[in-house]
Amino acid sequence: MSPNREFWTSSKGFVLAMAGSAIGLGNIWRFSYIMGKYGGAAFILVYLAAIFLIGLPIMLCELSLGRASGKGPLEAMTELAPRRTTLSFLTAVALILGAAAFVFKGMYFHAGVAGFFALGALLFGWGFLGFTVTFLTPLMIAVFYSVVGGWIIIYTIVSPLGKIFRDPAASAELLGNIVTASGGKYWVTVAAASAFFLATALIVMAGVQKGIERFSKIFMPLIFILIIVIIVRVLTLPNAKEGLRFLFLPDFSKMTAEGVMAALGQAFFTLSLGSGVGIAYGSYLGRSSSLPKTAFTIVLLDTIASILAGLAIFPLLFSTGLSPEEGTSLVFKVLPIAFGKLPLSALWGTLFFFTLLLAALTSSISMLEGAVQGLMQKLYLPRGKAVLLLIIVLGPLVPLTAVSSANFANVPKLGQFFTETLKLRSESFFAILDNTTCLWLMPLAGLMTLLFVSYVWGNKKALEEMNCFNAFDWLFSKIWLFVVRFVSPVLVILAFLKGLGIFF
Ligand code: PFF
């Protein structure tokens, strides 16, 4: 245990920091459009099953690993068990088979990822899982999250002027310019994404208590208050009932196998699982808190936030005669048009984007903390220098990703360099980062964490770590013991294989 280790000042501070990590763009933006696509309430039902059968059990594994080891994600696993075990070897073998299956199907990108992980598991055993959830996954997410964070900064700044709400063409043009970095304005996108990343880094630099906890304690309640204010306004609109019907009456015809996958992916993303956050934040938690109770509260807050976001967005859309669209356009194109139909549109629009910005920031700080903790422990750096190192190494990737769409086509010199000198023709960095983390890294790390806790460290030890105080905790932990061993891993494996399109 390092001498300068910090702790949360209270259990409440910890819950708010974890909820801050969980509640973010995933709840307000991603949840809404996925739900819109897969049948509203029908999706919510499947999503709730995923949250309670997979999400909550994995979160408990992560929190107990963090608290028991007293270390962050980089060293927690190797602190509690030997570096290489039979299971880490079997994982490497399974990944090699997976890679072979991908080659056979001509999916070379996926084959490369599986091969890379097989090699890592073979050479470094559980240490490789630690490395992945400390540096690889959360930092990759931090990069593309900063890009979207930048878009939100731009929207928050232009909202008070009201033009994007009054004039739909202006809003569409702004979105086009921002997302594809076109119209010669790529520097705006670059500056905004960099500003979001730097703001995140500065909060983390201030420390666990004075940075992350304080920021979450102030802004998490504010986020809830602001969403509720928007809901109250929106529910008084004519035809708001249509939105409520959409949210709460299931349409099972839209709930496909793909929808089940989307629900699972959403459970991982929204609870920040498989990205080291639970382990890092859990390592700062004092012994007296009961983990079942805190984890349950966090998951509940996150789920409430998603439903509240739905309550703010769908009645607004339906009452203004718009339909939920997929992806970026929902929040950045359709919603401004909807706000435009309200009196005082600039006020409501600004409130909405400001709320989104706060939610994005409380999440992005959690992506950097594990890496900062790892650098402090491994390189014996003070916090400030560890954050600086991250800014130097990761910083340049943020603006690059921000303008990466269409092979950098809209940034003349860079576009030439990539397509002519390097002869690269790829998807945008943004899409690669998004897909690799959500399809591969988060579920794989979640699965490995489950297996590590059940079969290597031992889930009896994890249970001791949880501090079960009362009958609820006790009952909960008994169910957890069964689910974590037999239910969650099987579900994740099935969904994982289905999602990647192998075997069935
Ligand atoms: N949970 C965040 C959201 O819903 O927006 C996203 C996230 C945060 C993913 C932190 C991963 C992570 F490590």
Side-chain angles (χ1 to χ4, degrees), residues 59-222:
M59 180 178 283
L60 272 166
C61 287
E62 295 190 346
L63 295 181
S64 38
L65 275 176
R67 188 161 74 174
S69 64
K71 299 248 169 118
L74 188 59
E75 292 178 298
M77 268 74 74
T78 45
E79 177 82 8
L80 298 169
R83 185 170 288 275
R84 271 186 290 259
T85 65
T86 316
L87 190 64
S88 68
F89 177 73
L90 289 178
T91 307
V93 174
L95 283 165
I96 291 171
L97 292 178
F102 283 128
V103 171
F104 189 66
K105 291 188 106 192
M107 296 161 75
Y108 299 113
F109 173 72
H110 291 289
V113 180
F116 176 70
F117 276 88
L119 195 65
L122 221 47
L123 294 178
F124 304 106
W126 296 103
F128 192 67
L129 176 59
F131 170 78
T132 308
V133 297
T134 305
F135 296 116
L136 225 50
T137 316
L139 298 185
M140 284 169 78
I141 299 176
V143 170
F144 79 80
Y145 215 82
S146 296
V147 173
V148 185
W151 300 345
I152 301 172
I153 292 185
I154 298 173
Y155 270 76
T156 312
I157 293 176
V158 300
S159 286
L161 304 176
K163 186 153 181 245
I164 55 165
F165 306 114
R166 283 191 306 268
D167 175 5
S171 140
E173 189 189 332
L174 178 70
L175 181 68
N177 282 348
I178 290 175
V179 174
T180 60
S182 57
K185 302 232 179 71
Y186 53 84
W187 58 271
V188 178
T189 309
V190 164
S194 309
F196 183 89
F197 178 70
L198 280 180
T200 307
L202 285 181
I203 302 169
V204 175
M205 200 181 261
V208 174
Q209 289 183 2
K210 296 212 175 92
I212 300 175
E213 183 173 348
R214 189 153 58 170
F215 194 80
S216 310
K217 266 185 172 163
I218 300 173
F219 290 116
M220 285 316 290
L222 184 63

